Amino acid sequence: MKITIKDLAKLANASVTTVSLVLNDKPSRISESKKNEIKKLAELYHYQPNFTARNLVTKKSNTIGLLIPDIENLFFSALAKKVEDELRKLGYSLILVNSNDDHLNDVKLIRNLVNRGVDGLLLTLSNDAESHKEVYLRLFDDLKTPFVLVDRVFEECDCPQVYFDNLLGGYLATRYLIKKHHKRIACITSKTGSLNGLQRYRGYEKALEEANIPLEDELVIEGDYRFQSGYQAGDKIIDLKADAVFASNDLMAYGVIRRFKERNKMVPEDIEVVGYDKLDFSSMLGLTLPSVEQNVQDLGRESVGMLMNQLQKKKSETKIILKPTLN
């Protein structure tokens, strides 16, 4: 049988108010012996607070909604884990929703989370968000729930956001290949509709321009951040006689490497590949893949911190741009 706070108060020969103060660690003049007695009884009888009743009083749910675009993408899985770890330390629970990289799902899921009464939102939008920017900006204007855009953002949006410098990341990846004396460098990106993909592509452009290497449009191949799009790009890259590839994420890099191996092209001996995200999965697969690292620990911690500042009405930065590295 579930024990209530009234039952606990009766067992402790104390008032409900006294029990509530003790269990919530609120300042009081209650003796230490009484506090210990109440806490031991709560533990003995496996007392669990009635969160629904508490929420009606405090108007807080102690839950945060996290929207991610693709739970199968290891980068977003790692981000979700870090966010949950950080929130747990602060006494919050996480509601995780997955949009399958669809902007219509984004809008629907954000509204669902708000209707569930979450205290705040951490939003990593779909890959096609940039193409539907006006829809999101109208939604954000109407939102009364505090939120932070995480990783995928709108640069001109005057709203809290935490993300990595994607232009720098694309530049670092391409410059690495140029320093290895490669001249025909293919780029698998998602520059149509995706701000992150576009910025990584611009970094690629910048590095080529600095090295006086002509940009060849045929070497730029549209992907969707999934394994299959990298795999499908493999044949075209071989046929175009590219000597290196910058893939805008590791999953596409895995795909193109798989296709190269099927066509007896050795990596890096025949074609060198650089990825993006520095997934731990590379080492599990035995791949030595140079990759631009976005420190997911920093991203999760900074995002949660920015949201907490909003909830506690503290002044803080509204935009945090993190620096990627190449390893």
Side-chain angles (χ1 to χ4, degrees):
M1 184 180 73
K2 184 177 179 181
I3 189 169
T4 68
I5 194 168
K6 289 182 179 179
D7 297 328
L8 202 57
K10 188 174 180 180
L11 288 167
N13 194 26
S15 69
V16 170
T17 301
T18 296
V19 173
S20 177
L21 288 170
V22 170
L23 295 183
N24 289 291
D25 292 317
K26 298 293 185 182
S28 70
R29 298 173 64 182
I30 302 165
S31 69
E32 287 302 316
S33 61
K34 197 62 173 178
K35 288 180 181 178
N36 291 334
E37 179 189 353
I38 291 170
K39 288 181 178 180
K40 284 179 181 178
L41 284 168
E43 185 176 354
L44 177 65
Y45 288 96
H46 306 291
Y47 170 73
Q48 294 291 329
N50 186 330
F51 287 108
T52 302
R54 179 188 291 180
N55 295 348
L56 290 172
V57 174
T58 65
K59 297 184 179 177
K60 285 182 60 180
S61 66
N62 277 82
T63 58
I64 300 297
L66 171 63
L67 170 73
I68 60 172
D70 183 4
I71 192 64
E72 293 181 333
N73 185 313
L74 297 177
F75 176 79
F76 296 119
S77 300
L79 175 62
K81 182 180 185 303
K82 177 60 180 176
V83 166
E84 184 171 30
D85 288 345
E86 291 293 316
L87 290 174
R88 189 183 298 119
K89 294 176 193 174
L90 299 168
Y92 284 85
S93 298
L94 178 70
I95 299 177
L96 173 65
V97 293
N98 177 65
S99 72
N100 290 322
D101 249 336
D102 184 322
H103 76 281
L104 294 176
N105 286 338
D106 279 351
V107 174
K108 185 187 303 181
L109 290 168
I110 290 169
R111 286 176 175 155
N112 286 347
L113 287 169
V114 170
N115 289 337
R116 287 179 69 97
V118 297
D119 294 331
L121 295 162
L122 295 167
L123 306 175
T124 302
L125 306 176
S126 66
N127 193 41
D128 62 348
E130 185 70 15
S131 299
H132 304 277
K133 183 166 40 183
E134 295 307 316
V135 173
Y136 288 97
L137 294 180
R138 285 196 300 271
L139 174 63
F140 297 158
D141 281 343
D142 292 338
L143 272 183
K144 300 295 187 280
T145 304
F147 70 95
V148 175
L149 299 185
V150 183
D151 183 57
R152 294 179 176 178
V153 303
F154 299 119
E155 290 181 320
E156 71 276 28
C157 181
D158 184 23
C159 60
Q161 43 193 318
V162 182
Y163 60 99
F164 280 91
D165 187 336
N166 286 282
L167 190 150
L168 175 60
Y171 175 81
L172 291 174
T174 311
R175 189 178 66 172
Y176 169 87
L177 294 170
I178 291 169
K179 286 186 174 181
K180 299 291 286 292
H181 307 294
H182 295 294
K183 299 292 185 184
R184 289 185 59 75
I185 303 171
C187 177
I188 311 173
T189 187
S190 179
K191 64 186 179 69
T192 304
S194 165
L195 179 61
N196 285 8
L198 177 60
Q199 293 288 42
R200 291 172 195 181
Y201 168 74
R202 286 174 176 167
Y204 163 81
E205 275 188 318
K206 179 182 177 183
L208 292 181
E209 184 178 354
E210 279 187 5
N212 294 315
I213 297 174
L215 174 67
E216 299 181 56
D217 290 338
E218 63 182 2
L219 287 175
V220 180
I221 302 166
E222 188 74 13
D224 63 5
Y225 293 124
R226 289 180 167 86
F227 176 94
Q228 193 62 28
S229 66
Y231 180 87
Q232 291 171 348
D235 287 324
K236 183 175 182 181
I237 291 168
I238 292 171
D239 294 344
L240 290 170
K241 296 182 169 48
D243 56 11
V245 181
F246 161 44
S248 288
N249 80 338
D250 283 353
L251 291 180
M252 293 193 295
Y254 298 156
V256 78
I257 289 171
R258 171 70 176 272
R259 186 56 183 150
F260 288 167
K261 287 184 176 179
E262 291 176 353
R263 290 193 56 180
N264 298 314
K265 293 293 182 181
M266 301 296 293
V267 176
E269 291 81 2
D270 297 325
I271 305 179
E272 188 153 11
V273 179
V274 172
Y276 208 108
D277 288 337
K278 195 64 177 178
L279 298 179
D280 291 339
F281 207 54
S282 298
S283 59
M284 297 179 196
L285 293 172
L287 291 175
T288 304
L289 177 67
S291 184
V292 176
E293 181 174 6
Q294 302 184 106
N295 190 312
V296 75
Q297 305 296 316
D298 291 344
L299 182 63
R301 183 175 55 253
E302 294 289 354
S303 301
V304 170
M306 184 177 282
L307 184 60
M308 290 300 114
N309 283 338
Q310 285 191 74
L311 294 176
Q312 296 163 15
K313 303 191 184 307
K314 293 181 180 178
K315 288 186 178 180
S316 70
E317 298 174 87
T318 56
K319 184 181 290 189
I320 296 176
I321 306 174
L322 303 170
K323 300 297 182 186
T325 57
L326 178 61
N327 297 297

